[in-house]
Amino acid sequence: MAHTTSVLGTLISPLDSGDFLTLEKGAITYDQEGTILNIGQLQEPVNHQVIDTNGALILPGLIDTHNHLSQYPIVGACDLAIGDWLEKYVFPEEIHFNQDLEFAAFLSRTFFQQALSQGTTCMATFVTSSAQATTKVFQEAHQSGLRAIVGQVLMDINSPPHLKTDLNHVFEQLDTHLRSWHKRGELEVSINPRFAVTCSEQLLRQAAHYAQTHDLLLHTHLDYVPEFAMSITQNFPWADNLLEVFKNTDFFTPRTLFAHGTGLSESEWKELGKKHAAICHCPNSNIFWNMGLLPVTKLIDWGSIVALGTDSGGGANLSLFDIMRSASEISHILQEQKVSENKLSLQDLLRMATLNGAKALGLQDKVGSLERGKDADFIIVQDQICDPLYPNSLSSYQKPLERLGRTIFRPHPQQVKAVYIKGKKVWPI
């Protein structure tokens, strides 16, 4: 009989059915290929290993659907408006990343290890416009064991010369990434036009066609920022609004992901809902740049898939627990202001950080929830460290959702104790 493993603890997970699993004294059992065989009570067949977490929380691996790896060194370094921030910090840092490949490799290792330490098992990241630097990121992601969707940045207008995409050669570079890295281990290639300000109509159309032809994630920014309005009008004079830019460049593929979604009109949000579009909510960076408060519960009601992203660069850290807390606080504010009728529940927050993230990336058949047949991507969270009476005692509030709530609203930087991807422990190592 094949070797199997069971990990014992308190299981909490959204489910594909729409239900929500909370199971004390439960077990996740998986085979040597890292496929979940059973969720429930402990079963002990022959050749079976048991890992007892002593009641710790076992959650699906967290999924960060939007970040910028190359921007990590500038996190928290300024509070400029977004246009000045791009010019004075982001673009110079991306040029540095392109030109110093040893640094690119070091930063990638650091970034992936810090993300793993916060419970992230899967991410979609923007790199830079350099094929060589993007290759370094793929190499380090593969070495880390992280499940990663990696995109070389595409932009051909309103950009520094050293960062501009050459449309005559970039798709040959993407072909090379596909041959070398796509579906290698847990890696995928994505297509990442930066945003409408820096992309020509030709680039957007070609990028969308390439992504759809190869069934790749198409990942870009969709957020109305007043200081960029004139540039977008000049680039796309035929578009009545920002969403129209992407509609009329064939951008709505089965695997399109829009970051932010802020600043749009209600009609644009409703149209995104009708298309069941995937939107990555980045609450920390939205606040950092004063980009507006996204009415997430409305977007969900209208039909969009809303996931979460740390948006490193603008976001302050790589913790999706912190992002869940920010998303919750914003939803409370919007409910109080009567912008939204409902606030986000604990179940909503975890779903956004896990199963909705998997749906947004087109990976829901493999990851995002603790269910039979999916890959065993999960994290062990020692929530007792978050208890206000720890270490001398524990409070009386120890129901599974109360414990989950503390990891979000009273997190400890060391609450994640172990991270598993396809049943293999990848952090700490």
Side-chain angles (χ1 to χ4, degrees):
M1 190 173 185
H3 179 79
T4 57
T5 302
S6 287
V7 183
L8 312 184
T10 299
L11 309 183
I12 304 180
S13 176
L15 300 175
D16 286 335
S17 65
D19 292 334
F20 203 84
L21 170 72
T22 57
L23 180 62
E24 297 182 273
K25 298 180 180 179
I28 174 174
T29 301
Y30 54 90
D31 64 21
Q32 60 189 353
E33 302 300 322
T35 302
I36 297 175
L37 300 175
N38 188 63
I39 297 292
Q41 302 302 319
L42 175 63
Q43 299 176 359
E44 294 194 55
V46 180
N47 297 325
H48 189 72
Q49 178 188 16
V50 175
I51 300 171
D52 190 348
T53 70
N54 295 314
L57 299 182
I58 301 177
L59 311 178
L62 306 183
I63 299 177
D64 185 353
T65 58
H66 181 73
N67 63 53
H68 293 260
L69 184 153
S70 61
Q71 296 176 19
Y72 198 44
I74 65 176
V75 165
C78 72
D79 60 354
L80 300 176
I82 190 168
D84 291 337
W85 178 77
L86 286 167
E87 293 292 335
K88 295 181 180 180
Y89 286 85
V90 172
F91 292 154
E93 189 60 37
E94 291 190 1
I95 290 170
H96 172 216
F97 192 89
N98 291 353
Q99 293 176 343
D100 188 343
L101 295 182
E102 286 189 14
F103 172 76
F106 162 76
L107 177 58
S108 299
R109 283 194 299 275
T110 302
F111 187 85
F112 293 139
Q113 288 302 309
Q114 291 191 15
L116 287 167
S117 76
Q118 297 302 310
T120 297
T121 56
C122 177
M123 70 168 61
T125 190
F126 277 65
V127 185
T128 65
S129 55
S130 165
Q132 292 80 10
T134 302
T135 295
K136 286 293 182 184
V137 174
F138 273 117
Q139 290 171 345
E140 296 300 331
H142 184 66
Q143 189 69 26
S144 75
L146 187 77
R147 195 181 294 272
I149 303 180
V150 177
Q152 180 176 330
V153 176
L154 310 180
M155 54 183 186
D156 64 337
I157 57 175
N158 300 325
S159 311
H162 290 300
L163 294 177
K164 278 188 177 180
T165 298
D166 182 351
L167 288 183
N168 294 319
H169 296 103
V170 70
F171 292 99
E172 295 174 2
Q173 295 171 350
L174 295 175
D175 286 341
T176 299
H177 293 326
L178 277 179
R179 289 192 299 269
S180 301
W181 297 107
H182 192 60
K183 305 289 188 179
R184 181 174 172 183
E186 306 313 314
L187 303 181
E188 288 195 18
V189 174
S190 61
I191 306 303
N192 293 42
R194 187 173 218 119
F195 65 147
V197 175
T198 60
C199 295
S200 66
E201 181 179 345
Q202 180 185 2
L203 187 154
L204 291 180
R205 289 187 183 278
Q206 288 183 278
H209 176 74
Y210 190 92
Q212 188 147 14
T213 298
H214 297 282
D215 187 29
L216 304 176
L217 182 72
L218 182 60
H219 189 178
T220 193
H221 298 81
L222 175 64
D223 47 278
Y224 178 78
V225 179
E227 67 178 291
F228 295 146
M230 184 173 294
S231 293
I232 292 172
T233 299
Q234 292 171 345
N235 294 353
F236 308 97
W238 42 262
D240 293 332
N241 55 46
L242 184 56
L243 185 58
E244 195 135 311
V245 171
F246 295 105
K247 281 173 52 184
N248 292 332
T249 51
D250 304 318
F251 231 74
F252 281 88
T253 77
R255 293 189 69 190
T256 297
L257 172 61
F258 294 112
H260 299 290
T262 48
L264 305 181
S265 65
E266 184 168 302
S267 63
E268 289 174 284
W269 282 327
K270 285 182 175 179
E271 188 158 3
L272 286 167
K274 288 178 183 177
K275 294 180 179 294
H276 303 294
I279 300 170
C280 175
H281 181 32
C282 305
N284 284 3
S285 59
N286 292 346
I287 293 170
F288 183 73
W289 289 312
N290 196 27
M291 288 168 59
L293 306 181
L294 190 70
V296 169
T297 57
K298 279 189 171 183
L299 268 62
I300 293 172
D301 288 343
W302 289 330
S304 288
I305 299 164
V306 184
L308 295 176
T310 59
D311 196 21
S312 55
N317 58 52
L318 295 178
S319 171
L320 281 163
F321 289 98
D322 188 52
I323 297 299
M324 284 189 271
R325 180 183 63 188
S326 294
S328 174
E329 290 168 348
I330 288 172
S331 78
H332 282 248
I333 291 169
L334 292 176
Q335 186 190 44
E336 175 65 24
Q337 294 177 344
K338 302 191 185 307
V339 173
S340 300
E341 291 185 10
N342 303 309
K343 58 182 174 59
L344 294 167
S345 67
L346 283 171
Q347 293 96 324
D348 292 330
L349 296 170
L350 187 63
R351 185 178 295 275
M352 290 166 65
T354 56
L355 187 54
N356 280 13
K359 291 178 178 179
L361 301 181
L363 300 176
Q364 66 271 25
D365 292 338
K366 299 178 68 175
V367 295
S369 57
L370 304 180
E371 299 190 71
R372 184 173 182 173
K374 292 194 177 186
D375 289 350
D377 286 21
F378 62 93
I379 60 175
I380 298 172
V381 182
Q382 190 55 264
D383 62 289
Q384 290 182 348
I385 201 171
C386 307
D387 193 293
L389 304 185
Y390 180 85
N392 298 316
S393 182
L394 293 176
S395 71
S396 59
Y397 304 101
Q398 298 299 323
K399 294 178 181 178
L401 289 182
E402 292 169 342
R403 295 170 60 192
L404 174 66
R406 274 196 288 271
T407 69
I408 296 171
F409 299 116
R410 198 176 187 276
H412 189 283
Q414 296 176 335
Q415 66 188 22
V416 177
K417 292 302 179 184
V419 177
Y420 290 75
I421 296 177
K422 288 195 77 172
K424 178 183 178 182
K425 187 177 180 181
V426 295
W427 188 90
I429 52 175

